[in-house]
């Protein structure tokens, strides 16, 4: 017999929940449909991000340069110590040979002195500490033993110093590798951003930079009055490199980074200055006001002093700016970081 029961109706609460959920789904769908896709950054935004990455890369480059310079210095010091050790070892061998000849002479004349025999079979350091045995040696033998003792101590000290410097060298090489990876990472990220630009956008940015460089060069010619001396010679040397590419860690003559250019330029003037911008900032006479700068003075930028160039007169600088550029003139107001001070070498 068929049932006449009515089907159970959903509760009012359940209907409310379902209705609310359906409405929310409709709203979310509408939002998703109407949401604008993420916009591609324009060329000016890309340039700003790329410039920031290049600045970070230059900071890392200066740290890389410092580690590289330290590595080269340690290698020279280690080489000198190793040469000293080899020479002192040879001198020690000659002293021992001399004492051995003395013992042979004693043997031929009636036997080896017990003290000398003991030396030949043991370390003289411990032996010479026993003052009572000195009476058994001739003055010549005492002198020979003391020379050997002193030479052994020198050798031990030199070898210990070499071992410490080798440890420092290993640590510096690790630091150098890390800094290199940091620079390469920043440059790769900058290149990835640049690759998002069209050929037309890249050309527009390049043209803008070229116009700025020409304008800076024109202002240099208007305000350029070369003096005499090494600053003038260094500036002239740097001028001869205009157009050479920026390469991090490079010191010329085919490519440069910022401190590589300044150190190379002064070297051509017969003046040796340190390798990195921070080191160069601590030499010569500091010039606080831009109004007191002279052509060829070193000029430093950014709070951490990671960029340096040569003052070109009339508010311009001659420098190696960053990756993707060449040695060129530029207004000091467009470097991207504040002018900190100058240095007259």
């Amino acid at each position: 017999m068929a049932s006449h029961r009515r089907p159970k109706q959903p509760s009012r609460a359940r209907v409310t929940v379902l209705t609310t959920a359906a409405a929310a789904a409709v709203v979310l769908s509408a939002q998703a449909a109407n949401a604008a896709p993420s916009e591609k950054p324009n060329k000016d935004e890309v340039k700003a991000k790329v410039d920031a990455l290049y600045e970070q890369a230059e900071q890392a480059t200066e740290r890389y340069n410092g580690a590289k310079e330290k590595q080269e210095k340690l290698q020279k010091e280690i080489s000198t110590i190793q040469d000293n050790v080899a020479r002192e070892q040879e001198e020690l061998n000659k002293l021992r040979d001399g004492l051995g000849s003395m013992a042979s002479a004693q043997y031929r004349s009636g036997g080896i002195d017990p003290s000398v025999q003991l030396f030949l079979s043991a370390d003289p350091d411990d032996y010479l500490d026993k003052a009572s045995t000195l009476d058994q040696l001739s003055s010549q033998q005492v002198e020979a033993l003391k020379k050997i003792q002193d030479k052994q101590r020198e050798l031990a000290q030199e070898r210990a110093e070499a071992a410490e410097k080798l440890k420092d060298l290993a640590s510096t090489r690790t630091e150098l590798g890390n800094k290199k990876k940091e620079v390469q990472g920043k440059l790769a990220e900058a290149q990835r951003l640049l690759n998002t630009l069209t050929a037309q956008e890249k050309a527009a940015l390049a043209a803008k930079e070229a116009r700025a460089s020409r304008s800076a060069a024109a202002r240099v010619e208007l305000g350029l009055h070369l003096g005499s001396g090494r600053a003038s010679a260094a500036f002239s040397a740097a001028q001869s490199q205009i157009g050479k590419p920026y390469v991090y860690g490079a010191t010329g003559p085919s490519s440069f980074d910022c401190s590589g250019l300044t150190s190379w330029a002064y070297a051509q003037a017969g003046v040796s200055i340190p390798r990195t911008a921070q080191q160069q900032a601590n030499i010569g006479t500091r010039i606080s006001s831009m109004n007191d700068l002279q052509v060829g003075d070193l000029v430093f930028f950014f709070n951490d002093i990671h960029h340096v160039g040569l003052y070109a007169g009339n508010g311009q600088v001659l420098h190696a700016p960053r990756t993707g550029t060449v040695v060129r003139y530029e207004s000091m107001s467009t470097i991207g970081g504040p002018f900190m001070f100058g240095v007259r070498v």
Side-chain angles (χ1 to χ4, degrees), residues 97-162:
D97 289 344
L99 195 58
S101 298
M102 222 184 296
S104 297
Q106 285 184 347
Y107 179 78
R108 287 192 297 272
S109 63
I112 301 177
D113 187 300
S115 58
V116 177
Q117 187 175 24
L118 179 59
F119 164 73
L120 292 174
S121 62
D123 189 335
D125 245 4
D126 180 59
Y127 184 55
L128 278 177
D129 289 339
K130 300 173 183 175
S132 60
T133 63
L134 293 177
D135 295 336
Q136 302 173 26
L137 302 173
S138 69
S139 60
Q140 188 179 7
Q141 290 168 338
V142 168
E143 187 63 28
L145 284 168
K146 284 185 175 178
K147 283 182 179 178
I148 289 172
Q149 184 186 45
D150 290 342
K151 190 58 64 179
Q152 285 180 319
R153 284 174 178 161
E154 285 178 29
L155 266 174
Q157 185 176 349
E158 293 274 8
R159 284 173 173 151
E161 186 180 354

Side-chain angles (χ1 to χ4, degrees), residues 73-285:
K73 182 181 177 183
L74 283 169
Q75 286 173 328
K76 288 178 183 177
E77 290 174 352
I78 290 168
S79 179
T80 299
I81 292 172
Q82 289 173 335
D83 288 344
N84 290 342
V85 167
R87 185 174 61 253
E88 288 172 5
Q89 183 65 58
E90 188 176 345
E91 291 173 5
L92 179 59
N93 292 341
K94 287 179 181 177
L95 289 172
R96 283 174 168 162
D97 289 344
L99 195 58
S101 298
M102 222 184 296
S104 297
Q106 285 184 347
Y107 179 78
R108 287 192 297 272
S109 63
I112 301 177
D113 187 300
S115 58
V116 177
Q117 187 175 24
L118 179 59
F119 164 73
L120 292 174
S121 62
D123 189 335
D125 245 4
D126 180 59
Y127 184 55
L128 278 177
D129 289 339
K130 300 173 183 175
S132 60
T133 63
L134 293 177
D135 295 336
Q136 302 173 26
L137 302 173
S138 69
S139 60
Q140 188 179 7
Q141 290 168 338
V142 168
E143 187 63 28
L145 284 168
K146 284 185 175 178
K147 283 182 179 178
I148 289 172
Q149 184 186 45
D150 290 342
K151 190 58 64 179
Q152 285 180 319
R153 284 174 178 161
E154 285 178 29
L155 266 174
Q157 185 176 349
E158 293 274 8
R159 284 173 173 151
E161 186 180 354
E164 282 301 310
K165 288 190 179 295
L166 283 167
K167 282 168 59 179
D168 198 3
L169 178 60
S171 174
T172 301
R173 281 176 172 160
T174 299
E175 181 187 1
L176 189 63
N178 291 338
K179 296 306 175 193
K180 186 174 183 179
K181 287 179 183 176
E182 184 180 354
V183 174
Q184 291 173 331
K186 298 294 183 185
L187 296 181
E189 190 175 350
Q191 188 59 55
R192 181 186 61 77
L193 280 170
L194 287 173
N195 289 342
T196 66
L197 298 178
T198 65
Q200 186 177 2
E201 287 172 327
K202 290 178 183 177
L205 287 176
K208 185 178 179 181
E209 286 199 354
R211 286 194 300 272
S213 184
R214 287 194 299 271
S215 176
R219 287 194 292 272
V220 166
E221 295 305 322
L222 289 173
L224 183 57
H225 298 286
L226 282 176
S228 60
R230 51 196 186 180
S232 172
F235 185 79
S236 295
Q239 279 184 309
S240 71
Q241 302 306 298
I242 289 175
K244 296 287 182 70
Y246 178 103
V247 174
Y248 81 90
T251 56
S254 58
S255 57
F256 300 89
D257 62 21
C258 71
S259 55
L261 175 66
T262 51
S263 58
W264 179 89
Y266 267 93
Q268 308 318 298
V271 182
S272 176
I273 65 174
R275 170 64 179 91
T276 69
Q278 288 183 341
Q279 292 169 328
Q280 292 174 14
N282 292 317
I283 63 173
T285 303

